[in-house]
Amino acid sequence: MQQFVGTSLKTRLYLLVSVSFIPIALLIFYIAEEQKAMEEDAIFRTITAIAGAAANEENQQMESTHDLLTVIANSFVIAEGRPDKFSGILTNLLQQSKGSVRFGIIDLDGQVVADSDPSMIGQDYRANIWFSTILRSKELAPGLFPGEPINGEPAFYAACPALNNRGDVVAVAFAAFNLNGMNRTLIKQLTELPKGSRLTLLDGTQGMLRYDVDTHQWSVPQKFNPTLRREIIHRQSGTLIATDENNDARVYAFALLQSFLRNRPVFLVLEIYQSSILATSGRIFLRNMALLVVSVLIALLFIWWAGNTFILSRINAMVGASRKLASGDLSARIGKIGAHDELNHLAGVFDEMAASLQKRIEKETQVTASLKRSREQLRSLAAYQNEVREQERIRIAREIHDQLGQSLTLLRMDLSWLKKQLDDKSPTVDEKMDTMFQVLADALENLHTVTTELRPIILDDFGLAAAIEWQIEEFRNRVGIECRMAPTGFEPDLPKDQATALFRIFQETLTNIIRHARASEVEVRLEARHGDLILQIQDNGRGITAAEIDDPKSFGLLGIRERLYPWNGRVFFEGRPGQGTRVTVRLPMPPKGALS
């Protein structure tokens, strides 16, 4: 696979193990998100339960307050003539009432005429909404929430009319309750919330009251985010995340508080720091991630150990044996490596392959050595045959020249003597004698040509350059192809066998030009270059092809190569279509003084 090129097996194993933990990591993230959702849902259930509990407790408290105020109002009607004595009754009642901070009686002018706190007698309550409401409705009426503070504590007022026998309002009985003493069940639930949590009573225009879990006190909030208030009023119940007045992220859970005390929609808003809510889920997430990381590390450690022990060490053994085999050590074997598994089987197959390869290489080496010996023998035989052939040519040429040439010369001399001895010279005899002289002259000429072709005497007497020039002249006169030798002035001093080999190569090249080249010009160059003797023959014919150069049936070219082999000579054939062929022979020059 292209994307894994250059990646080691160990790295791939690590990647594979790491990838296998991805589903677990995704599951951890999913569980964390589910935990967050569950905690937010738990907060919403908490605020819903708090709202229900607060409404129920306030309704119960309102019923008991209604009963208590009814008794106070009726008692005041009975003791109408002595309100000053009634203040003592209210004081005793206050001492026995939990959560109440004040009881009092107000006349129809709004003046306090009896109070559990005598110092408050004469206080004017005409401006209070609940006072005017009670005169009009003649029913129990709650005051504003919160009402006037008492002793610096937020208080809530409730009032009940005192009616005479005709049903007319003759006075108003009221009670004031400390908000910190009300809704004790609600406050008990709030103490279980995280630090920094707050509970706010919110209506459509403002934050009415706020309970701080840390201080355990109710207070009037200075301000509340208008956008957040509108969202709460619009949704009426649910949870959302926003920032508070200090730009700290909080989760706001809210629900509608339905109580008799509320004469307008009021919402309970529970504020908890988001970090506190998510602390549990965060701890669980971190714990799970830590466990995952530890598991991954343990798995990677195990893979490292197991990979090195059971896989990589065995693979390294196989690699080492393969490299030895590649470097030429055919005896390299892996052997048994561990358990009988796939790698051990592969090692066995490798050893079988190596053994088979060793046998084949040994056999091929033997065959190659045998072929090399045979080739050397053939080359030696060819060199010997060439030498024998040259010696035979020399012998034949010498025999023809010495015996047949002398015989023909003597015969010519005898014929000349005979011609002089004849007294009667007839035209017929003279003609016959002339014909015989011509036949003898032609025979001597042919004899000279044959002996020269068998072994040009000029090669032995004047050297290679002169022999080549003589052969060029013969070639030009015989076939009519323009042939010339470049005037380099070089005359090599070569052993007889090397000079003969080069001359025969030159003759073979001229023969090939006659047979195949269809050339009109031939240029020959003989020179020394970089310690080599260079013989170059260039024609302007059709140009030899690569197929002809490599043709195993090109015996002439093969013979040229073999003639050069004993002296490490080389020959190069170059052909260009329509531009001719160039044959270059390179033969190392013998050191100076090697020839005597």
Side-chain angles (χ1 to χ4, degrees), residues 97-226:
S97 177
K98 293 182 179 180
S100 302
V101 293
R102 188 177 169 195
F103 291 112
I105 301 295
I106 304 173
D107 61 16
L108 297 179
D109 294 328
Q111 302 294 319
V112 176
V113 295
D115 200 296
S116 58
D117 183 2
S119 64
M120 301 300 295
I121 294 176
Q123 187 176 0
D124 190 353
Y125 279 88
R126 284 178 298 178
N128 292 63
I129 296 177
W130 52 267
F131 177 73
S132 57
T133 300
I134 223 168
L135 294 178
R136 184 176 59 256
S137 65
K138 299 181 181 181
E139 294 179 354
L140 178 69
L144 291 177
F145 200 85
E148 299 176 1
I150 299 177
N151 297 326
E153 299 285 341
F156 168 73
Y157 285 81
C160 179
L163 304 176
N164 57 19
N165 293 333
R166 296 187 301 272
D168 298 327
V169 178
V170 296
V172 174
F174 72 90
F177 303 95
N178 188 336
L179 288 178
N180 289 322
M182 296 177 63
N183 295 325
R184 296 184 181 276
T185 304
L186 170 64
I187 294 175
K188 183 178 180 181
Q189 294 181 13
L190 294 177
T191 57
E192 300 175 357
L193 295 174
K195 290 184 177 181
S197 301
R198 301 184 302 197
L199 182 69
T200 302
L201 292 173
L202 181 71
D203 66 4
T205 59
Q206 63 180 353
M208 300 168 61
L209 281 175
R210 173 174 290 167
Y211 182 81
D212 195 316
V213 173
D214 295 343
T215 61
H216 307 291
Q217 296 293 325
W218 290 91
S219 63
V220 178
Q222 298 299 318
K223 58 182 179 179
F224 199 90
N225 189 325

Side-chain angles (χ1 to χ4, degrees), residues 312-546:
L312 296 180
S313 60
R314 302 162 75 188
I315 291 178
N316 289 334
M318 298 170 68
V319 170
S322 300
R323 287 177 175 171
K324 289 182 180 179
L325 188 65
S327 64
D329 184 4
L330 300 179
S331 63
R333 298 292 185 273
I334 299 175
K336 293 184 178 181
I337 49 173
H340 296 287
D341 55 5
E342 291 81 359
L343 288 177
N344 191 60
H345 177 68
L346 181 61
V349 173
F350 177 88
D351 288 345
E352 292 176 3
M353 178 195 69
S356 176
L357 181 62
Q358 184 178 15
K359 292 180 181 178
R360 182 177 298 178
I361 294 297
E362 290 175 350
K363 186 175 182 180
E364 289 181 356
T365 302
Q366 295 173 357
V367 172
T368 301
S370 177
L371 288 175
K372 186 176 181 180
R373 288 194 300 271
S374 299
R375 189 172 182 180
E376 292 295 334
Q377 290 173 354
L378 288 174
R379 281 175 170 168
S380 299
L381 178 61
Y384 174 74
Q385 287 177 341
N386 286 332
E387 183 179 357
V388 170
R389 188 182 298 113
E390 290 297 332
Q391 295 297 327
E392 186 66 17
R393 283 180 174 179
I394 293 173
R395 187 187 67 77
I396 292 173
R398 184 180 297 114
E399 290 293 331
I400 291 175
H401 181 272
D402 292 344
Q403 296 182 16
L404 185 58
Q406 290 180 7
S407 297
L408 289 175
T409 300
L410 290 174
L411 181 60
R412 184 176 181 180
M413 293 172 61
D414 290 345
L415 184 61
S416 179
W417 178 83
L418 183 62
K419 184 177 180 179
K420 292 178 180 180
Q421 299 301 319
L422 292 174
D423 294 333
D424 187 10
K425 297 181 179 179
S426 65
T428 303
V429 172
D430 287 341
E431 183 179 355
K432 188 64 175 177
M433 292 293 288
D434 292 339
T435 302
M436 292 175 67
F437 273 112
Q438 185 61 43
V439 169
L440 285 173
D442 291 343
L444 287 171
E445 181 68 22
N446 291 334
L447 179 65
H448 177 72
T449 302
V450 170
T451 56
T452 302
E453 289 181 354
L454 284 173
R455 178 71 180 184
I457 299 176
I458 193 173
L459 179 63
D460 297 327
D461 296 341
F462 299 99
L464 178 62
I468 289 176
E469 288 182 351
W470 170 81
Q471 185 65 59
I472 287 174
E473 185 67 23
E474 288 291 317
F475 175 79
R476 185 168 52 243
N477 295 333
R478 186 170 72 251
V479 300
I481 296 176
E482 179 63 30
C483 186
R484 59 185 176 273
M485 184 173 183
T488 60
F490 173 66
E491 178 60 49
D493 187 11
L494 297 174
K496 186 177 179 180
D497 52 354
Q498 291 187 18
T500 301
L502 288 174
F503 183 75
R504 295 304 181 193
I505 289 173
F506 178 66
Q507 285 184 320
E508 179 66 27
T509 303
L510 293 181
T511 301
N512 288 336
I513 292 174
I514 296 172
R515 292 178 179 176
H516 310 293
R518 298 197 294 272
S520 60
E521 293 183 1
V522 178
E523 183 178 27
V524 182
R525 177 178 293 273
L526 181 66
E527 61 184 352
R529 190 187 306 162
H530 305 300
D532 289 342
L533 183 148
I534 307 297
L535 173 62
Q536 190 176 86
I537 305 100
Q538 172 82 49
D539 67 56
N540 65 345
R542 65 176 181 84
I544 191 171
T545 64

Side-chain angles (χ1 to χ4, degrees), residues 202-205 228-236 254 267:
L202 181 71
D203 66 4
T205 59
L228 182 60
R229 183 178 66 248
R230 287 194 297 270
E231 182 68 19
I232 291 173
I233 293 172
H234 173 71
R235 293 174 55 180
Q236 295 198 350
F254 49 94
F267 298 89

